[in-house]
Each structure stands twice: as C-alpha cells, then as structure tokens.
Amino acid sequence: MSSGLQICLSFILLTQLPDTTERSPISVEELWLKLTLSGSRQRLSLVIADFTTPRGTKSDTVSLVAQLQQVFTADLRFSLYFTFEEPESGKVYNFPTDPKKPDLKGWATTGAQILICGDYVPRKGNAQLNLRLYDLASSRLIASKPYNLRPEWRWLAHQMADDVIKLLTGEDGVSCTRIAFSRALAAGNKELAVVDYDGANLEQITGSGGLKLFPDWAPDGNRIAYCAYGTSSLNCYLLDLTNRKVAVISERTGLNTTPAISPDGKTIALSLSFEGNSEIYLLDINGRNLRRLTNHPAIDISPTWSPNGRQLAFVSDRTGTPQIYIINVDGTDLHRLTFAGSYNTSPVWSPKGDLIAFVQRQPDGANQICVTNILGDSYLRLTYQGNNEEPTWSPDGLHLAFTSNRTGTWEIWTMDWNGANQRQITRTGGAFSPTWSPRLRR
C-alpha cells in the first residue's frame, strides 16, 4: 500500500461515511500534470462484492439491489479515481462477506486495496442497504453506513457513490449531478430538459412553446438562465426550478444571448446588441445594474467565467475570424488566448481553473472540441467523429459533456477530460447546448 493511502486510511479509520476531482499540441501526460497540480495522485484499487440479500427475499427486491449495485459501480468507474479488480471471465469471487466474519485475507488475494460490501436489511416500512468498506492491507473496517431504500433508488446509488468517493479521496464526486439541455420537439420548438449525468431520468422542465436556447445552470442548483425569442428579439430569462417561475434578465432590443452565471451566483455575463454590435455586459442576477465590459466594432459573444470569478473568456472576431480572448471583470488585461486554428468558439472554463475547452473548426469543415491551458501555448484535440460542439465541464473538472451529430442526429455525449470514454447519454432526436449542474441534493 502506498504511504499516501496509509495516511488517508489512518485518518478516516472507523469513521462514518459523509452524510451527503499551428502550435504543438500538449501531451496527455503534461495536461494530466496540469490538471492534478502535483501529478502524484494514484488510483485506489477496489473490489466490489456482490451485494447480499437474505434468503427468502422477494425476487423483485433482489433485482432492485442488483440494479442499485450496477449504478453504484458505474458511478465509481466514471469518477476516474479508482481501478477495479475483477475475476477472470467466467469466474466469480466467492469469499465470504458476512459482517461478523468477512474473509478479508481471501479478498486481499484479489490485489485490491479496498473491499466494498453491501447488505440488504429488511425492516418494517424502512428497509435499508448497509454499505461497508474495508482496508485489505490491514484487514480493518474503514466505515459502515446504513441507507434507507426509497423509490428514487438510482439517486440513492449516486449518493452512496459520492459518499465513497469523498471518504476515500477527499474529493467531491459528480454522481449527484444532472445535465440540462435544449431539446428539439418539433420545427420551431425547443424546450429545456434535464437528465441525470448518466442519461437516466429524462425530464422536460419547460413547455411554453418557441425556442429555448443556451441554458446555464446557477451554482445553487436551483436556477437556470436561458434564452428564448420574444416578439421582436432573442431575450434572456431565469427559470426557478423550485417553483418553475420565470424572471426576466434582459429583453433589450436586438440580441440578449449566451448568458453565463458567475461562480458566486450574483452576476450574469451575456452578449447584448442594443447599442449596435454585440458586446459583453455584466448584470446583477435580477437583471439590474448593467455594466458594459467590452467595446469594439467586432462581435463579442459567449462569455465563460473563471472559477474565481475574476476573469471571463469570450469569443470575438476582432481579428477577422472568431478567436477566444480573456479579460478581467473590471475590463483590464484583455488578451487573445487562441492562435492555433482560424475559427475557435464556445469556450468554457474548467472548474479547476487551469484549462479552457473550446470548439475549433477543422480544415475539413468539421467542428471538434479541444482544450488549452490558460496561457494558450498548448492544446489538445479531444474529438474526431462527426461534428462535436458546445462543451460543458463537470463540477470536478474531470469530464465534459457536449453535443455531437456523429450518429446522424444531435445528441448529448460525455467524455473524460482527455477525450477518453466518449459515450452517448441522450436519444431524444435532437439535443443541444448542454450545461452541467453543480452537485445537487435531494
């Protein structure tokens, strides 16, 4: 066991789980060093025993427990913090997991550092699933926590996974997050919809008709800014998810578009054209106290906040083609970020602060997602199939969601920060402009 893991386990031993991470392209290894700051993190090796149910348990409950374990395991795999020890094809691990006498020496032969067990405990009116974690090097219990089963069992699995991630790594997971997007329903009609980060539980959250575009999730998780066409202009609104009420952010003449809510939730950056060409402005979240940030004959659009709220990146064609620029929120230190490629759009700043994802038009005309460091001196292309646009970061900065037409229709996909593990999460017939929520509570 690594010294880092020993220190971690000694600190958390027998604790409870919490109640509820053209210039030369940068190498993947160098980007990983930038992303993790030290590059010293090692993935913990897990083995997950089959969750148990007592004899005589109804078959539908046995199936539910198995499904819950599948979602829980998928969440841990998605996190990128762990590796998994699994038996050879056609074989299973049969070491006992009885809470009173688990065969920890047997489980240690799998090569894993941590064993995770789950037990279904029937109770009148309040059945539970008890989760246990063991350090296999020292054969000691790390933590144990009972979870009350409830109809929203997938969300329960997400909460369990995030609790384990927090316990073992000290980082907040993203299992309890959702992705909002603009869903095409018919010609001239796009409504806002949300899914869990893994694509489950599709829910439409608007239904007034027309086009709902460019959603952006507020850091409190309870509000989404978006754009919709009024009688004569594209306007900006704020949807309260707790009561579905809509407030006006800006209905000025011309375009009111691409809203981005600040990390503290108090300010909205957006592009307005009421004074002529499109410029970047700042507004209080209630739509008051307008401040102009840029002033140039070119088009300035698509602002994105740095995680400390002190800077914005945005798109401008002031050099003739769209490129990405960075500016302080007081209007100082304006400078160009992207130089590779002649058409770069849709910037989004990583929550870790050191990377910006964006869309770059390729020589073949296709749009592909890239990432660059904030100095703009190196970048990495992440996508290659079809057109891939409108990236959005997960709250931990380890994943991106985006829209792609590689299957023939625009749908939402996710991938790791380095372009690995790309997978489709929606099948709606038209999904655009994803925005990844902060961590949510239920």
Side-chain angles (χ1 to χ4, degrees), residues 163-279:
D163 284 352
V164 169
I165 292 168
K166 185 68 172 181
L167 176 69
L168 295 180
T169 72
E171 303 288 346
D172 293 318
V174 297
S175 308
C176 293
T177 60
R178 308 195 79 191
I179 295 172
F181 60 96
S182 178
R183 181 186 183 186
L185 298 178
N189 183 206
K190 291 181 180 178
E191 298 292 349
L192 299 186
V194 293
V195 291
D196 293 350
Y197 91 92
D198 57 4
N201 296 322
L202 173 65
E203 177 187 3
Q204 186 173 313
I205 56 175
T206 63
S208 59
L211 297 174
K212 312 294 190 306
L213 309 170
F214 313 126
D216 186 65
W217 218 305
D220 63 9
N222 293 324
R223 296 169 294 174
I224 293 177
Y226 68 96
C227 295
Y229 280 98
T231 56
S232 60
S233 62
L234 181 63
N235 300 322
C236 192
Y237 302 96
L238 189 66
L239 172 64
D240 188 325
L241 296 173
T242 63
N243 55 26
R244 301 299 169 90
K245 292 183 178 180
V246 176
V248 175
I249 297 173
S250 180
E251 292 181 327
R252 291 169 174 83
T253 302
L255 294 178
N256 305 262
T257 190
T258 58
I261 303 176
S262 63
D264 64 6
K266 297 179 180 179
T267 306
I268 292 181
L270 74 169
S271 181
L272 303 176
S273 66
F274 73 100
E275 292 184 299
N277 58 302
S278 295
E279 301 283 358

Side-chain angles (χ1 to χ4, degrees), residues 24 48 110 140 148-149 174 190 208 222 239 255 274-275 278 289 303 313 323 338 344 351 364 405 419 422 426 434:
S24 298
I48 302 177
T110 65
R140 299 177 69 178
N148 293 328
L149 291 181
V174 297
K190 291 181 180 178
S208 59
N222 293 324
L239 172 64
L255 294 178
F274 73 100
E275 292 184 299
S278 295
N289 193 21
Q323 296 293 338
T338 55
N344 297 305
D364 63 2
N405 71 350
Q422 297 187 22
T426 66

